[in-house]
Amino acid sequence: MSERSTSTDSVDDVTGELPAVGTAVVTGANSGIGFEVTKGLAKKGAHVVMACRNIERGEEAKRRIEAEVPGASLTVHELDLADLESVAAFAEWFTSTYEALDVLCNNAGVMAIPRTETEQGFEYQFGVNHLGHFALTAHLLPVLQQTTGESRVVVQSSAGHRNGDIDFEDLQGEESYSAWGAYAQSKLANLLFAYELDRRLRMAKASVKSLGCHPGGSKTNLLDHSAAQGGFRPDLLLMRLLNAVIVRSAERGAESMLYAALDPSIDGGEYVGPDGFMNMYGDPVVQPSSDRSYDETLARRLWDVSEDLTGVSFDLPEPN
């Protein structure tokens, strides 16, 4: 797949049916790219449910957006992707409160932290970045499907997915663990899931599209969180120096997810990221991801394993 420019030069200029989105969910909405995605959707008139692990920080982020976007319609609700019970509780609340969901932005994530485990005992990066969003999407799929018109699932990946592989023999990093290796595995899992979900939605002839995106090199709190968790590490020191000197703002990084969520020209199963140097800077375009991310056999195996681990399944046909 060659790179293809999106239809506009600014998120504010995106036109078509989808910008009239009614309701959206953004995970990790209280900071970084999630905050900027929430603000961008609010500018389009969407009612955004800010799914946040920390309610206090979520409410503070809500107040900041309301000050910048007059008339912003926002709701903060607790969601801890490291706990599948919290994921199920959020979905139960949402489906009992809302009758439609136009856009689900699976954005939240952690990066390159020392090995720790989620509530259910999964390696934390794989558990939060992939399994938590896998389960959330499954729980919310019925309301996505019953939404009038087209709805979308947008999964945040990373350029780091290109270094990833799915180690089914040591999926939880119990025998050998690399902080960056586990991160790359989780980001590859994000794309394998996004593409496989779109294939199954097509088989079901559903009016839901699934696609992936990545923010490029963007200034967020992920590196600060990594450093706080891991202490002094030369790799993190270098990344933080680059973050301070070179990397662009979270607002620019949010453009990829906003285009993927809003641009009517983008199809399901596509991947959106910056068009500049090494796809780390520039304007969002549809571009290819790694060859491994399109491996359908790998995707189906990961799908089956993810259903087994989470105990959550999708009512969708398997692609031929």
Side-chain angles (χ1 to χ4, degrees):
M1 182 189 298
S2 61
E3 293 190 353
R4 172 169 62 80
S5 296
T6 47
S7 58
T8 57
D9 296 323
S10 167
V11 169
D12 290 337
D13 294 334
V14 177
T15 58
E17 295 180 1
L18 279 172
V21 58
T23 303
V25 169
V26 179
T27 66
N30 62 281
S31 66
I33 290 171
F35 175 87
E36 297 297 340
V37 168
T38 300
K39 186 166 66 174
L41 290 170
K43 286 181 178 179
K44 288 294 182 183
H47 173 72
V48 186
V49 176
M50 303 172 66
C52 305
R53 183 174 60 86
N54 187 304
I55 293 297
E56 183 177 346
R57 292 177 183 174
E59 291 291 349
E60 172 58 27
K62 177 176 179 285
R63 288 190 288 271
R64 288 169 55 200
I65 294 174
E66 288 172 338
E68 295 183 49
V69 184
S73 178
L74 307 168
T75 297
V76 177
H77 200 83
E78 183 177 6
L79 170 65
D80 184 356
L81 290 161
D83 184 356
L84 293 179
E85 291 185 3
S86 174
V87 172
F90 174 89
E92 183 178 2
W93 165 81
F94 185 90
T95 54
S96 65
T97 306
Y98 298 91
E99 296 181 352
L101 175 57
D102 297 87
V103 178
L104 169 59
C105 291
N106 288 330
N107 164 75
V110 291
M111 180 175 72
I113 61 174
R115 190 184 185 283
T116 187
E117 295 183 350
T118 68
E119 286 294 320
Q120 283 72 37
F122 307 128
E123 185 277 313
Y124 204 87
Q125 296 188 83
F126 187 73
V128 169
N129 297 355
H130 170 58
L131 292 176
H133 284 122
F134 180 91
L136 177 66
T137 306
H139 286 307
L140 294 179
L141 184 61
V143 71
L144 283 161
Q145 289 178 300
Q146 73 185 28
T147 301
T148 302
E150 179 191 308
S151 55
R152 291 187 184 183
V153 177
V154 184
V155 182
Q156 186 79 274
S157 184
S158 160
H161 85 274
R162 298 183 181 280
N163 300 318
D165 198 1
I166 309 298
D167 185 359
F168 290 106
E169 302 306 314
D170 188 23
L171 197 57
Q172 309 302 336
E174 296 171 306
E175 297 179 12
S176 177
Y177 181 77
S178 159
W180 286 107
Y183 175 72
Q185 173 178 255
S186 72
K187 294 289 101 179
L188 174 59
N190 286 153
L191 285 183
L192 289 166
F193 166 55
Y195 297 159
E196 179 68 8
L197 175 60
D198 193 70
R199 287 189 287 267
R200 295 183 183 228
L201 289 166
R202 289 173 186 268
M203 286 291 295
K205 301 187 185 305
S207 59
V208 185
K209 292 180 178 178
S210 172
L211 55 158
C213 66
H214 77 98
S218 302
K219 190 186 298 293
T220 71
N221 62 356
L222 280 179
L223 283 169
D224 290 334
H225 180 68
S226 298
Q229 293 287 312
F232 176 81
R233 280 169 33 198
D235 58 334
L236 290 178
L237 178 60
L238 175 60
M239 291 296 288
R240 292 185 75 177
L241 287 173
L242 291 172
N243 199 33
V245 177
I246 300 175
V247 179
R248 63 189 186 155
S249 68
E251 184 176 11
R252 289 302 313 272
E255 290 178 357
S256 295
M257 179 161 270
L258 285 166
Y259 267 118
L262 297 173
D263 194 307
S265 71
I266 297 176
D267 203 359
E270 294 193 312
Y271 181 57
V272 178
D275 63 355
F277 177 69
M278 295 181 67
N279 296 128
M280 298 299 283
Y281 309 96
D283 297 323
V285 297
V286 172
Q287 60 189 236
S289 52
S290 69
D291 290 344
R292 190 176 289 120
S293 70
Y294 298 112
D295 186 330
E296 296 186 24
T297 300
L298 182 63
R300 292 179 191 181
R301 183 178 181 187
L302 176 64
W303 185 282
D304 292 341
V305 168
S306 300
E307 287 191 333
D308 289 342
L309 291 173
T310 62
V312 176
S313 61
F314 289 73
D315 186 18
L316 291 172
E318 183 175 326
N320 293 329

